[in-house]
Amino acid sequence: MTNIKEMFSSIAHRYDFLNRLLSMGMDKYWRRVAVNQLKLIPGERYIDVAAGTGDMAIEIAQRRVADVHVAAVDFSRNMICFGGKKIKKRHFEDRIKFHLADSENLPFKDNSFHSAVCAFGVRNFSNHFEGIKEMRRVIKEKGQIVILEFSKPKNWIFRFLYYFYFKKMLPLIGGFISGKLSAYRYLPDSVLNFYSQEELKLVMEKTGLKKINYFTLTFSIVTVHIG
C-alpha cells in the first residue's frame, strides 16, 4: 500500500491532465453518469472515497442541491493538495472537505453519510472487501454505494484494439508526460488483474449490500456498480 500511495503522490501534478488525455475526455462523462445514480437529497452528506483530486465530489457539489456536503477522502497528501486548489477555484470550499485517510479505515462514525461513491479507486484498495465494507459502515441504512471502475471489453475486436492502447500506448504517453513510467504500467496491470463485474458484485454482497446491479459504458471499458 505504501508503494501505491507513493506512486499516486508522484503523479498528482499531472493526474487530472492525464485523466482527460488518456480517456479522450470520456472520464468526465463516466463520472457524470455514476453520480446520476445517486439520490441527492437536500441537507445530506455524501462521501467520495479514494477521491484523488476530488472530481466525483465536485460532480456532486455542482449539481447545486441545497446544503449537500461531501467528504473527499484520499490517502495521498499530494492529491489532496491539488484537490484543495480545485475546489477553491470553483468556490466549493463550503461544500467539499478533504480528509487524509486510508479507504479501509475511514475516520467517521457509523451512518455518517447518506451515500458513498468511489471512482477508479476500489482496485487500488489493499483489501477490496474491507474497503467496501468501510463504505457500507459509514452510510445510512437506505443509502447507496456507487462504484465506477475500469472493466474488460467483451467484444473481441474492440478488446484487441483496447488492450493494444491500454498496454502499449497508455504507459508510454502517461510515463512521458508524468515522468513516472512505472505508474502507467501499473494502471493496465491493475485493471487486467481486477475482478469481473460478477466477481465484484459478489464482494459487494458479502459486505451486506443489497439490490446490487451494474451496467457498462463505452463498449464495456468501464462499469458502474450500484448497491
Side-chain angles (χ1 to χ4, degrees), residues 92-160:
F92 284 146
E93 302 100 312
D94 61 331
R95 286 177 167 256
I96 301 171
K97 301 297 180 187
F98 275 95
H99 302 265
L100 182 67
D102 289 333
S103 304
E104 294 90 341
N105 188 24
L106 298 173
F108 305 105
K109 296 180 180 179
D110 295 0
N111 310 312
S112 294
F113 304 94
H114 182 274
S115 296
V117 294
C118 183
F120 309 115
V122 169
R123 74 180 187 284
N124 300 313
F125 291 175
S126 59
N127 186 310
H128 305 121
F129 171 80
E130 290 297 330
I132 298 173
K133 185 179 177 183
E134 269 291 90
M135 285 193 279
R136 172 67 187 86
R137 178 184 67 80
V138 300
I139 67 170
K140 297 178 180 179
E141 189 61 34
K142 294 185 178 180
Q144 301 162 281
I145 288 179
V146 177
I147 296 172
L148 176 65
E149 263 298 352
F150 286 112
S151 49
K152 306 173 188 75
K154 300 190 184 305
N155 180 282
W156 73 269
I157 297 175
F158 185 75
R159 184 168 64 240
F160 173 80

Side-chain angles (χ1 to χ4, degrees), residues 5-223:
K5 184 187 300 186
E6 291 174 353
M7 180 195 72
F8 277 106
S9 292
S10 72
I11 62 173
H13 65 298
R14 289 287 184 265
Y15 186 72
D16 289 339
F17 173 74
L18 282 167
N19 279 348
R20 304 294 105 78
L21 176 65
L22 296 174
S23 72
M24 302 177 190
M26 293 300 294
D27 66 306
K28 297 179 74 172
Y29 163 70
W30 296 332
R31 287 185 172 90
R32 186 165 64 249
V33 172
V35 170
N36 285 345
Q37 311 313 306
L38 288 176
K39 296 170 185 170
L40 296 179
I41 299 173
E44 282 286 3
R45 299 175 69 210
Y46 296 81
I47 181 169
D48 178 10
V49 178
T53 58
D55 278 342
M56 287 290 275
I58 290 170
E59 183 64 38
I60 293 172
Q62 66 188 13
R63 300 297 173 95
R64 299 294 181 181
V65 178
D67 296 320
V68 160
H69 293 85
V70 187
V73 180
D74 201 86
F75 65 1
S76 166
R77 193 177 299 275
N78 284 1
M79 287 288 188
I80 287 175
C81 179
F82 282 97
K85 294 175 182 177
K86 283 169 62 174
I87 66 169
K88 186 175 182 180
K89 183 177 180 180
R90 291 165 172 77
H91 306 293
F92 284 146
E93 302 100 312
D94 61 331
R95 286 177 167 256
I96 301 171
K97 301 297 180 187
F98 275 95
H99 302 265
L100 182 67
D102 289 333
S103 304
E104 294 90 341
N105 188 24
L106 298 173
F108 305 105
K109 296 180 180 179
D110 295 0
N111 310 312
S112 294
F113 304 94
H114 182 274
S115 296
V117 294
C118 183
F120 309 115
V122 169
R123 74 180 187 284
N124 300 313
F125 291 175
S126 59
N127 186 310
H128 305 121
F129 171 80
E130 290 297 330
I132 298 173
K133 185 179 177 183
E134 269 291 90
M135 285 193 279
R136 172 67 187 86
R137 178 184 67 80
V138 300
I139 67 170
K140 297 178 180 179
E141 189 61 34
K142 294 185 178 180
Q144 301 162 281
I145 288 179
V146 177
I147 296 172
L148 176 65
E149 263 298 352
F150 286 112
S151 49
K152 306 173 188 75
K154 300 190 184 305
N155 180 282
W156 73 269
I157 297 175
F158 185 75
R159 184 168 64 240
F160 173 80
L161 296 172
Y162 174 67
Y163 279 12
F164 176 77
Y165 171 73
F166 209 48
K167 297 173 73 174
K168 303 295 184 183
M169 301 301 295
L170 184 147
L172 292 176
I173 299 169
F176 176 76
I177 294 174
S178 69
K180 294 290 180 179
L181 180 60
S182 60
Y184 287 89
R185 282 177 174 162
Y186 164 82
L187 174 59
D189 288 344
S190 68
V191 173
L192 297 176
N193 293 323
F194 192 56
Y195 301 119
S196 68
Q197 289 98 334
E198 284 296 320
E199 288 169 339
L200 182 55
K201 181 180 178 182
L202 287 174
V203 175
M204 294 173 72
E205 287 175 348
K206 289 178 181 178
T207 68
L209 290 168
K210 309 292 183 183
K211 298 180 180 178
I212 300 165
N213 58 75
Y214 62 83
F215 60 90
T216 61
L217 298 169
T218 317
F219 302 102
S220 301
I221 288 176
V222 298
T223 300

